[in-house]
Amino acid sequence: MRLGEVALPSWGNQLMNTLVRTAVGLGAAVAVTALAAGPASAAANDRTIYSTSISVLGVVTHHASLHFIANGDKWTVCDSSPEGDRAMGSVYWEDSGGNHQIITSVTTGVDTCKSGHYDLPESATVYLRVWHQNGANGVEKDVERSTTKAGN
């Protein structure tokens, strides 16, 4: 044994070998993922946002979600809570024709989704919002926002 080395029991050597193999495997997986994504992936502009509340006991509830796919200008709004509220999502953008907004409402109950699509101007800034509300004219609750760019 050299100065500074520590003798490990046989189970310790096995554990070290397993940890090294796992680290090497994870490093390879990260490298492959980075190469597959490419330098200018349209997925970089994809967004998923959640309308979420936290109770006084610390319980997190996801009421609704909005997933936006930039390449193809598609979105999906999902209801993810059984409280009976509507899941709502908004896609907003501006162009030479003015301001535009499409609101998607999911009224069919928990674990259901509704999708939308619109040919947005290339690289337009897109403002996303998701929330839940009680009824057609209910108050917007737990609003979450995000901004991204339309794809090609």
Side-chain angles (χ1 to χ4, degrees):
M1 187 178 335
R2 294 184 193 143
L3 184 62
E5 288 184 346
V6 177
L8 295 174
S10 63
W11 63 266
N13 286 330
Q14 290 173 347
L15 177 62
M16 283 299 274
N17 288 338
T18 301
L19 289 174
V20 168
R21 282 194 307 272
T22 302
V24 169
L26 285 174
V30 168
V32 167
T33 302
L35 289 173
S41 175
N45 290 325
D46 292 357
R47 296 285 184 275
T48 300
I49 55 176
Y50 300 93
S51 171
T52 304
S53 64
I54 302 174
S55 74
V56 294
L57 298 175
V59 176
V60 176
T61 301
H62 294 294
H63 299 278
S65 64
L66 184 150
H67 180 67
F68 179 80
I69 301 171
N71 189 6
D73 307 323
K74 298 178 255 185
W75 59 90
T76 301
V77 177
C78 295
D79 184 343
S80 49
S81 180
E83 88 281 278
D85 283 359
R86 296 168 182 242
M88 306 290 291
S90 166
V91 177
Y92 173 91
W93 72 99
E94 300 172 358
D95 61 20
S96 60
N99 304 332
H100 312 278
Q101 178 175 247
I102 298 175
I103 295 178
T104 303
S105 175
V106 180
T107 60
T108 49
V110 66
D111 295 331
T112 60
C113 301
K114 191 172 185 181
S115 296
H117 167 271
Y118 190 85
D119 188 15
L120 301 171
E122 301 307 312
S123 300
T125 300
V126 181
Y127 302 91
L128 307 170
R129 287 188 321 131
V130 65
W131 68 95
H132 63 106
Q133 67 186 44
N134 187 349
N137 298 312
V139 175
E140 295 180 2
K141 298 185 259 184
D142 305 309
V143 178
E144 187 62 36
R145 295 172 173 82
S146 184
T147 305
T148 189
K149 295 283 185 184
N152 46 8

